Amino acid sequence: MNRLEPDRQGIERAVALLRAGEVVAIPTETVYGLAADAFDDAAVARVFEAKHRPSFDPMIVHVAPGSAREAVAKLARLDALNDEAGSVFDRLTTDFWPGPLTLVLPKARFVSDIVTAGLAHVAVRMPAHVVAQRLLEAFGGPLVAPSANRFGRISPTRAEHVVAELAGRVPAVLDGGPCEMGVESTIVGLAADGGLKLLRPGAVPVEALGSDLRWSTVDGAGGIEAPGQTDQHYSPATRCALLGGVVEEQDPATLRQLAADTEVALLRVVGDPASGRAALAAAGISVLDSRSLSPEGDLVQAARALFATLRELDDGSARRLLLEPPPSRRGLGHAIDDRLRRAAGSAR
Ligand code: TXA
Ligand code: MG
């Protein structure tokens, strides 16, 4: 895989590949994406192939910075939104675009079924990463970009991760350095009547979006669903077990059961890695490694480090990873908790 510098020449090369119907891995502020021309079905099919992604899983379409209404004009049917839904669209895009918020909207007929997995809705986001923005501007059209990992695996937050995941399957990665946010965009469905549904917690905490808006839970919101949100996802190859809470407060017998008589590594979101290790050792468990994403308890820092640390532990020699959930599901804790649960295959 070619590593392209994020300068004019690198972007020109990436644009040439995209115009030729190829896929290119690109940086965004959340995670690296695997980009292709959203209006070229053969190129979109190549993304599914490179990722081993099942065709029931729809893709997010990325648009260049600018007026939100203009950016989505060829993708979504804003005319299908009632007045309330239209003003919710304007408010959310004014507050959060460009940025890590994906909106699922009624689809325009120009968008191919392969992009949306045959759904009546399309997911759109305007990324904040300057390299992604320059690329979108130079390409001159929307790009699909799912996370640049093989299906179900850990999302890449550095160009090296993309190489490790997809070498030989993708011609190039545009190297924009480490991703700032580290977890994927928040996905929100906007129904034609203005109702909203959280489809995936992510880098924009749901509390920030506006509690005065009309949120609906499980069903409702115009039948919008997110089919790709499978219970097992973001998964290391090493087996993972999710702790019920803070490791020092767990019952030693429960810890031994989760450790399953093998050598483990501990991943905690906050708190002291050494005292976590000590708690496991005191329960008679053999601990090879212990990490904390943010010993100081900063969830922004924790989210940024999440996938890279999971990847390192996966590459280490521990046979089982014990994952400690964040202290709460508030703010970025919601997305971090979601990713850890799915890594352990126990989403709720
Ligand atoms: O931060 C992100 O969103 C990253 C970066 C690269 O932009 N992209 C990303 O894409 O996370 P991906 O493919 O890994 O996750 C996209 C998910 C799908 O699995 C699905 O749940 C939801 O977005 N989605 C996409 N299109 C949809 C649609 N038309 N209706 C409902 N959900 C949709
Ligand atoms: Mg993904």
Side-chain angles (χ1 to χ4, degrees), residues 26-34 51 53 57-62 100 102 104-105 115-117 119-125 127 145-149 151 155 183-187 199-200 224-230 233-234 339:
I26 64 163
T28 82
E29 71 278 27
T30 58
V31 301
Y32 274 75
L34 193 54
K51 280 192 55 130
R53 187 181 175 107
D57 194 0
M59 290 187 191
I60 298 173
V61 181
H62 295 63
T102 295
V104 174
L105 304 161
V115 171
T116 61
L119 299 171
H121 296 93
V122 61
V124 191
R125 102 170 180 92
S147 52
N149 49 279
F151 184 69
S155 305
V183 290
E184 296 83 351
S185 61
T186 301
I187 306 182
L199 299 173
R200 176 177 73 183
I224 300 174
E225 327 157 69
Q229 297 301 301
T230 45
H233 209 136
Y234 313 103
R339 303 307 186 267

Side-chain angles (χ1 to χ4, degrees), residues 165-187:
E165 284 280 320
L166 298 172
R169 312 189 63 88
V170 167
V173 55
L174 197 52
D175 189 347
C179 300
E180 192 193 328
M181 314 293 305
V183 290
E184 296 83 351
S185 61
T186 301
I187 306 182

